[in-house]
């Protein structure tokens, strides 16, 4: 099996380099590309050329424009990376008969209600990032290629920037942290996403009926505030010296950001678990591992 991985150095891309390695020949690219192959998602012709040269069995796109607030004022680039590039990848996947694996987000939903969103629920993104990711999903769905789209949320990993690491840094210098307590979701480790991707890809490769959109997040739910309390407690238990003495819950309205965020980011993972026969551990497990790795290195 020949796999082309794009975005190899993002949080998920980094873990995919590990989890995909046993599946076959892995050609992993970052934005700079290598050996004449293009990994830059803004170079649409370069992507087409690369796929026609490599002729992969599976294309895995872990690259994306993920700066949610910047996206509000950078619509053109956001759209090229998150919508036009996935469309091109899907068209080229169809030509060479490859599967396309792609990641999307809880931000395709508007966060209303209290139920966990199912794959068939109507998307209604609140911000540019969400709109561009939804356009990317639809381009893939309409392309006719075989695909797996995994919608995930609140991603963290040992490599790269994320909320957990930011909180750990702030807790080293601030006595009081104010954290949003009215957005609910599931922190999901890049390692879990990568491992589940490798298992799912193996099954899908021999069963085209598995082509589709899936929600892939860790089990359980929390708010950013409760998540922060967990991070601080765990870090202190691991011997990390922190100065924070108080964590204050605040509302989304008290912390305005350029991009509007959904309140309810719960994703229902029943379809993923049933289709692939896989189990999704509670979010705390991945966070504890990441903190251990971060603090002990
Ligand atoms: N992070 C989250 O909380 C979250 C939540 C829901 C869904 N997702 C989705 O999950 C997937 C993986 O996210 P992640 O957390 O691993 O993201 P990440 O850590 O921000 O990594 C994104 C990667 O994309 C690369 N990239 C950006 N623009 C590019 C371009 N024009 N050409 C090539 N590479 C480019 C970045 O490279 P540079 O370092 O060179 O910029 C980076 O390596 C994405 O599809 C994302 O939308 C993420």
């Amino acid at each position: 099996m020949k796999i082309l991985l794009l975005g190899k150095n993002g949080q998920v891309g980094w873990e995919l380099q590990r989890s995909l390695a046993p599946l076959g020949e892995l050609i992993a690219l970052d934005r700079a590309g290598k050996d004449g192959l293009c990994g830059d998602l803004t170079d649409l012709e370069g992507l087409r050329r690369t796929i026609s040269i490599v002729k992969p069995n599976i294309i895995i796109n872990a690259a994306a424009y993920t700066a949610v607030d910047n996206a509000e004022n950078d619509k053109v680039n956001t759209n090229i990376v998150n919508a036009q590039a996935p469309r091109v990848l899907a068209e080229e996947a169809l030509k060479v008969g490859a599967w396309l694996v792609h990641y999307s987000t809880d931000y395709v939903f508007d966060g209303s209600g209290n139920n966990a969103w199912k794959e068939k629920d109507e998307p209604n993104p609140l911000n540019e990032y969400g709109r561009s990711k939804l356009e990317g999903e639809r381009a893939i769905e309409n392309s006719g290629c075989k695909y797996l789209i995994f919608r995930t949320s609140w991603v963290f990993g040992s490599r790269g920037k994320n909320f957990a690491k930011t909180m750990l840094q702030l807790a080293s210098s601030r006595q009081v942290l104010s954290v949003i307590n009215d957005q609910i979701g599931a922190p999901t480790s890049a390692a879990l996403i990568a491992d589940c991707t490798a298992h799912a890809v193996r099954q899908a490769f021999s069963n085209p009926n598995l082509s589709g959109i899936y929600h892939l997040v860790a089990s359980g739910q929390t708010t950013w505030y409760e998540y922060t309390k967990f991070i601080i407690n765990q870090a202190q238990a691991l011997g990390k010296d922190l100065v924070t003495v108080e964590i204050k819950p605040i509302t989304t309205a008290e912390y305005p950001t350029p991009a509007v965020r959904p309140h309810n980011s719960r994703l229902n993972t029943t379809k993923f678990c049933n289709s692939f026969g896989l189990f999704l551990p509670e979010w705390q497990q991945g966070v504890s591992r990441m903190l251990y790795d971060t603090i002990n290195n």
Side-chain angles (χ1 to χ4, degrees), residues 269-291:
T269 55
T270 306
K271 181 182 173 194
F272 176 83
C273 295
N274 289 348
S275 302
F276 296 103
L278 292 169
F279 174 82
L280 294 164
E282 296 287 320
W283 62 267
Q284 291 92 333
Q285 193 185 99
V287 176
S288 301
R289 278 185 72 92
M290 187 272 288
L291 290 172

Side-chain angles (χ1 to χ4, degrees), residues 42-99:
T42 62
D43 181 353
L44 303 181
E45 282 314 307
L47 293 178
R48 289 194 193 278
R49 192 186 66 245
T50 297
I51 293 166
S52 71
I53 294 169
V54 174
K55 295 194 176 49
N57 305 106
I58 300 171
I59 302 163
I60 303 196
N61 178 31
Y65 190 116
T66 55
V68 175
D69 286 320
N70 293 349
E72 293 298 303
N73 290 316
D74 195 8
K75 289 184 194 176
V76 173
N77 273 322
T78 306
N79 186 270
I80 291 173
V81 176
N82 290 349
Q84 300 309 318
R87 177 180 52 78
V88 165
L89 296 177
E91 287 170 4
E92 296 304 312
L94 183 65
K95 280 188 202 160
V96 297
W99 277 82

Side-chain angles (χ1 to χ4, degrees), residues 9-12 31 39-41 63-64 66 103-104 129 133 152 155:
N9 289 328
Q11 299 189 90
V12 174
R31 170 196 300 265
D40 182 352
L41 266 64
T66 55
Y103 300 93
S104 190
Y129 168 76
K133 294 295 289 186
T152 189
V155 178

Side-chain angles (χ1 to χ4, degrees), residues 6-16 29-33 38-43 47 61-68 77 80-82 85 102-107 129 132-133 150-157 159-163 186 188 190 193 216-217 224 267:
L6 299 162
K8 70 168 186 166
N9 289 328
Q11 299 189 90
V12 174
W14 179 251
E15 294 293 339
L16 282 167
L29 303 176
D30 60 12
R31 170 196 300 265
C38 169
D40 182 352
L41 266 64
T42 62
D43 181 353
L47 293 178
N61 178 31
Y65 190 116
T66 55
V68 175
N77 273 322
I80 291 173
V81 176
N82 290 349
H102 180 74
Y103 300 93
S104 190
T105 169
D106 52 310
Y107 283 15
Y129 168 76
S132 68
K133 294 295 289 186
F150 297 122
R151 288 189 187 135
T152 189
S153 75
W154 300 21
V155 178
F156 63 88
R159 189 184 162 113
K161 284 190 210 153
N162 55 59
F163 175 86
T188 301
I193 296 169
L216 168 52
V217 289
W224 295 112
L267 294 179

